[in-house]
Amino acid sequence: MSERDEPALDELASRAGTWRGRSAAAPVRHTAAVAADRFDRITWRDTYEQSAGLREVAEELNERHGHATDLLTDVFLAAYKVRPRLRERAEMAPSRLVNHRVITALVESPEFAELRRETAGDPYAAAMAVLAQAAAVRGMLERSRDAQERAERASRAQQDADGAAAAVDEALQRAADKADEGAEDGTVPAAAADAVRQAIDAAEAAEAAARRAAQHAAQALAAAAPGIRAAARNAAGKAAEAVREEAALMRAWGVAPGELERMPFDERARLAERLRTGRLAQWAELIGRFRQMAEGERARKMENATGELVGVTLGNDLSRVIPSELAGLGLPELRAVFAARYAAGELMLYDAQGERTTGQGAIIACVDTSHSMYAAGPGGVTREAWSKACALALLDQARHAGRDFVGILFSAADKLQVFRFPADGPQPAGVDRTLDFAETFLGGGTSYQAPLTAAAGLLEEEFNDAARTRGDIVMITDDECGVTEEWMRGWNDAKHRLGFRVFGVAIGAPRAAETGSVLEALCDNLRSIEDLTDVHAAADLFRVI
């Protein structure tokens, strides 16, 4: 056998040097584009297990696209992590390059930065962001199908190249073993040498194929990139809007962010669904405006003004000047006019009546839910929606003051439903109760006596149990009806004994608020509401209750 047929081991090792240890030294290829620690992965897993929506989306996408669950994980973590870090493209497994391109387009969009302000650190909000982008993710994967197929081929080609490199190592090791067994000069038997050469040829061919496949995959991905970027921006924008809307909906209904964070995932999901689909869901914006107005009025409450505010009058008492008058002091040209009106006692002031202090007993809202309350006013706002929004703001008022609140829904004499909200009750547990109160509608006619009798009875009970007097009753109705003389005598006796006040709101029914009406006789303070988009028409309620 010639020296050429039996080469030295060193010669074979030199030629195989390019491939020796290639498989062992191959970089780790990641399947996740967003770097995450163990706790992040636990958060994703727990959220995924709790969310039927996430599991359904993953199942649907996985039927047509490989590695869809990995992509959903990346979208979740990018939204959830405070400072998400994306891996470099070179660190990714070839089969996940489309995922990397999609998540990179999302994270780099200004809309996603806006989204993360709502979702960072909140697993539920991050999951909602994933669901809101599911349709767009599906579209991006469809448009990237050719790139994904080429990426899969590139992945297989790379695996083949890694395998061929490992085969070179194995062939060389076998040749070394044969050399040790054979000639003392270190030559390798021809068969073993041929095996090494063939392994090297195969490795070179596999490496070339892998490079071509990677190049084709990169070209396909580059072609899909503009469409992915546009879709990502659109998806992130819609998701941010959806998350903001839900957050606004929760705020409108008085659910605090801290309360949401403590709420179990499935409970929060059910609450969000109920708020989105309930009868009054479309009026969440009105409810939110009512609550904001009431909060502002509480802040502006006139602590030094005595008595009950009943309107506007003229005078020079600076402690009761209305805000529009004070605004004149901000304009130099109007200051002289202000001074002249002050000297003449012609400034507009809040008018007070009596020397009664703010109530300390329960706040009771009697809300008419007769059929006519379905009527809509300006902007499509129904009388019911305005009334319930006002009542919910009164619930806030009671909680802020540490007072009990009772909502009484009424219509005909035999239709009455009472919702109690004790001041010392667990407020988070009252969310469902609040929604029950807001969504209940009885229908039928209108009776004043039934709800007011119930309200007076509750204040009597409060007086007997806790010796508290000076409660406040707010009667909201769109109808006028009579009461008996006997009942009226009992009503006046109860008012005198318990010291409660009655505020009336005639909504869409100006005749009910006219001088000489039954409602006027029942109430200490009465107003008529015509513009149902105007929450400030009831502002004085929150200054004096």
Side-chain angles (χ1 to χ4, degrees):
M1 186 173 294
S2 68
E3 185 176 345
R4 183 176 183 280
D5 292 330
E6 293 185 353
L9 182 62
D10 290 345
E11 178 186 341
L12 291 174
S14 176
R15 185 180 173 196
T18 305
W19 310 100
R20 294 181 66 184
R22 173 74 67 86
S23 58
V28 176
R29 301 289 182 172
H30 294 280
T31 58
V34 179
D37 59 27
R38 180 168 62 91
F39 299 104
D40 294 330
R41 290 190 291 271
I42 290 173
T43 300
W44 160 251
R45 186 176 65 246
D46 290 347
T47 305
Y48 184 82
E49 290 174 354
Q50 294 176 52
S51 172
L54 287 177
R55 295 194 301 275
E56 290 171 4
V57 169
E59 182 179 354
E60 177 198 348
L61 291 180
N62 281 321
E63 288 179 357
R64 293 178 54 81
H65 306 282
H67 323 303
T69 302
D70 288 340
L71 178 55
L72 295 181
T73 305
D74 281 332
V75 176
F76 173 85
L77 292 175
Y80 171 72
K81 287 175 66 65
V82 175
R83 285 182 290 273
R85 180 181 72 82
L86 297 190
R87 301 187 192 279
E88 296 296 330
R89 186 176 182 276
E91 299 179 73
M92 298 300 298
S95 61
R96 305 306 199 278
L97 287 177
V98 169
N99 286 7
H100 186 271
R101 179 66 266 176
V102 169
I103 201 67
T104 299
L106 281 172
V107 171
E108 290 180 349
S109 69
E111 292 79 3
F112 199 82
E114 183 180 348
L115 170 64
R116 289 188 56 260
R117 282 195 286 270
E118 303 287 344
T119 61
D122 187 339
Y124 175 87
M128 183 182 171
V130 175
L131 296 175
Q133 296 174 96
V137 168
R138 186 185 306 110
M140 284 187 276
L141 291 176
E142 288 292 340
R143 284 189 290 272
S144 306
R145 182 176 292 279
D146 179 60
Q148 183 61 44
E149 290 174 353
R150 291 179 180 271
E152 295 288 354
R153 288 197 290 270
S155 181
R156 291 191 295 270
Q158 187 60 55
Q159 291 171 4
D160 291 343
D162 292 341
V168 172
D169 269 344
E170 293 172 3
L172 190 60
Q173 183 59 51
R174 286 194 297 271
D177 293 341
K178 293 293 185 181
D180 290 340
E181 296 172 1
E184 294 182 359
D185 59 1
T187 58
V188 178
D194 287 342
V196 173
R197 295 189 188 99
Q198 291 172 7
I200 293 173
D201 291 342
E204 290 174 347
E207 179 70 14
R211 284 197 298 269
R212 288 194 299 272
Q215 184 179 9
H216 293 158
Q219 291 170 347
L221 190 56
I228 291 176
R229 283 194 296 270
R233 293 193 62 169
N234 187 49
K238 288 183 177 179
E241 183 179 357
V243 173
R244 279 197 306 271
E245 286 179 355
E246 181 164 309
L249 194 60
M250 293 292 184
R251 286 193 299 270
W253 286 93
V255 187
E259 182 181 338
L260 288 175
E261 292 175 5
R262 295 188 299 271
M263 196 176 292
F265 185 95
D266 54 349
E267 181 181 339
R268 183 170 171 180
R270 286 195 299 271
L271 175 61
E273 181 66 16
R274 185 176 182 186
L275 292 180
R276 282 194 297 267
T277 60
R279 282 200 315 110
L280 292 182
Q282 59 182 316
W283 307 124
E285 189 269 339
L286 174 69
I287 294 169
R289 286 197 292 120
F290 244 109
R291 284 186 149 134
Q292 290 175 358
M293 177 273 292
E295 184 177 358
E297 293 304 319
R298 283 195 294 273
R300 295 174 52 219
K301 227 170 189 180
M302 297 169 55
E303 300 294 343
N304 298 323
T306 60
E308 175 186 328
L309 300 179
V310 295
V312 175
T313 187
L314 299 179
N316 58 6
D317 184 349
L318 295 179
S319 69
R320 292 191 288 129
V321 174
I322 68 174
S324 61
E325 286 279 30
L326 292 174
L329 290 174
L331 300 174
E333 59 270 23
L334 293 181
R335 289 172 187 167
V337 176
F338 182 93
R341 294 181 65 185
Y342 171 74
E346 295 179 351
L347 294 175
M348 289 190 289
L349 315 175
Y350 287 117
D351 192 13
Q353 176 177 301
E355 294 294 331
R356 306 185 62 190
T357 56
T358 303
Q360 295 298 314
I363 297 176
I364 302 178
C366 298
V367 181
D368 190 345
T369 59
S370 59
H371 280 308
S372 57
M373 291 292 284
Y374 273 132
V381 180
T382 65
R383 297 172 182 178
E384 179 201 13
W386 192 97
S387 301
K388 296 286 183 62
C390 182
L392 291 174
L394 288 169
L395 169 58
D396 286 347
Q397 189 87 345
R399 285 176 169 170
H400 184 268
R403 300 167 66 181
D404 291 350
F405 177 82
V406 181
I408 298 178
L409 304 180
F410 70 93
S411 57
D414 60 342
K415 290 187 175 183
L416 195 77
Q417 195 159 343
V418 178
F419 294 82
R420 294 192 182 208
F421 299 87
D424 56 356
Q427 292 184 14
V431 174
D432 287 336
R433 185 70 170 163
T434 301
L435 294 178
D436 290 341
F437 168 63
E439 292 178 335
T440 299
F441 193 88
L442 303 177
T446 304
S447 168
Y448 285 177
Q449 291 186 191
L452 292 176
T453 298
L458 289 167
L459 292 177
E460 181 90 45
E461 179 184 319
E462 184 180 40
F463 173 75
N464 293 335
D465 292 344
R468 285 201 295 266
T469 59
R470 295 184 290 112
D472 291 308
I473 299 173
V474 180
M475 180 75 167
I476 307 175
T477 182
D478 72 338
D479 202 359
E480 184 177 11
C481 65
V483 296
T484 66
E485 291 185 11
E486 180 181 359
W487 181 89
M488 193 68 178
R489 285 194 294 271
W491 171 255
N492 288 330
D493 288 343
K495 279 189 67 178
H496 178 73
R497 183 173 68 259
L498 300 173
F500 60 78
R501 301 179 295 182
V502 183
F503 298 83
V505 180
I507 180 168
R511 289 184 56 188
E514 289 178 351
T515 302
S517 68
V518 173
L519 197 58
E520 185 197 36
L522 291 170
C523 298
D524 303 301
N525 182 302
L526 178 61
R527 80 231 51 241
S528 179
I529 305 296
E530 290 297 313
D531 183 357
L532 302 186
T533 63
D534 182 12
V535 300
H536 293 279
D540 65 311
L541 285 176
F542 301 93
R543 288 194 294 271
V544 298
I545 290 180

